[in-house]
Amino acid sequence: MENLKSELHIVGICGSLRKESFNRGLLRAFEQQLPDKIKFTEADISELPFFSEEREQNLPETVLKLKELVESADALIVSTPEYNLSYTAVLKNALEWLSRSSLQRPLAGKPVVVMGAASVQVGVSLSHLRDVMYALNMKLINRPIIQVGNAREKFDEKGNLIDSGVKELLGNLKDELINALK
Ligand SMILES: Cc1cc2nc3c(=O)[nH]c(=O)nc-3n(C[C@H](O)[C@H](O)[C@H](O)COP(=O)(O)O)c2cc1C
């Protein structure tokens, strides 16, 4: 914890809108590992309208709120399920808004971690997501890789993580992220 800014802020984005989402559970389990000194906020992307260049003329309130939250973040952590061998449309929509010069491109240069949980596997979706983050010039923190397949065996019915191996990986991720922000 030496050399850390007095308060770091990490913003989580969940690629699923499901209330008891495994991915929201993964973000929650990550948050539980953070020291008190680090603030964590989950962004709400559920009410964002679909991106359209016409809508940029009069930016919606939900978009402005998300932009401000992302700007306030020292780092982002994104957790997404795999939908049809890619990541989800709600997440893509949020990234499209946040990629725009009308919002001063708040993702550019931002440190980011990606992870995910899905019924079978999440590897392909996370590869797609990393490609888009490369296009957005985000600063990917690549290790440890957290890809939770067979999610039904690793979370309870409320979406709480119950797998000790994944919990340990999240602890390593927390350390890597803190080191990257020093
Ligand atoms: C439209 C759709 C497509 C899906 N495609 C995949 C897939 O390609 N691979 C996979 O492992 N699971 C797939 N699933 C299952 C999801 O991984 C599963 O529902 C997961 O729990 C969703 O994440 P969440 O719990 O965070 O909502 C799909 C689910 C939906 C609704």
Side-chain angles (χ1 to χ4, degrees):
M1 294 297 292
E2 279 166 47
N3 303 325
L4 273 185
K5 271 171 47 180
S6 57
E7 194 184 66
L8 288 173
H9 186 200
I10 298 177
V11 168
I13 301 181
C14 182
S16 168
L17 302 187
R18 208 163 69 84
K19 200 162 145 255
E20 285 161 359
S21 152
F22 298 144
N23 285 279
R24 185 160 294 104
L26 200 55
L27 287 172
R28 221 169 26 245
F30 171 77
E31 179 185 2
Q32 283 160 6
Q33 302 256 2
L34 292 175
D36 292 344
K37 209 169 163 178
I38 299 184
K39 184 178 159 197
F40 180 90
T41 314
E42 190 195 325
D44 182 5
I45 60 169
S46 65
E47 303 295 332
L48 295 178
F50 286 130
F51 174 79
S52 148
E53 290 180 68
E54 280 156 2
R55 290 188 169 140
E56 290 183 287
Q57 311 309 318
N58 186 11
L59 289 168
E61 200 54 43
T62 48
V63 171
L64 289 169
K65 222 173 135 191
L66 179 65
K67 160 193 154 57
E68 276 166 31
L69 183 66
V70 167
E71 279 172 348
S72 75
D74 295 287
L76 298 183
I77 180 162
V78 179
S79 188
T80 184
E82 184 153 289
Y83 277 7
N84 304 316
L85 298 182
S86 191
Y87 65 98
T88 62
V90 282
L91 178 56
K92 183 88 159 78
N93 186 48
L95 294 177
E96 280 167 11
W97 277 114
L98 293 167
S99 70
R100 298 293 293 167
S101 59
S102 60
L103 270 68
Q104 290 86 45
R105 297 195 174 95
L107 296 178
K110 192 73 76 180
V112 63
V113 169
V114 298
M115 59 183 183
S119 299
V120 184
Q121 53 106 43
V122 280
V124 184
S125 56
L126 295 186
S127 290
H128 291 178
L129 183 55
R130 288 187 195 101
D131 282 349
V132 171
M133 288 176 166
Y134 173 79
L136 299 179
N137 197 22
M138 297 186 77
K139 222 187 265 176
L140 267 163
I141 295 161
N142 292 313
R143 292 289 189 282
I145 292 173
I146 302 188
Q147 299 180 174
V148 186
N150 300 317
R152 267 171 226 297
E153 291 169 14
K154 292 164 187 157
F155 294 84
D156 67 18
E157 69 286 354
K158 295 275 173 215
N160 296 309
L161 181 67
I162 51 171
D163 186 278
S164 56
V166 178
K167 283 184 188 171
E168 196 180 327
L169 277 175
L170 287 170
N172 298 341
L173 176 65
K174 177 252 312 169
D175 293 338
E176 283 294 322
L177 187 54
I178 289 174
N179 275 333
L181 296 177
K182 273 182 187 163

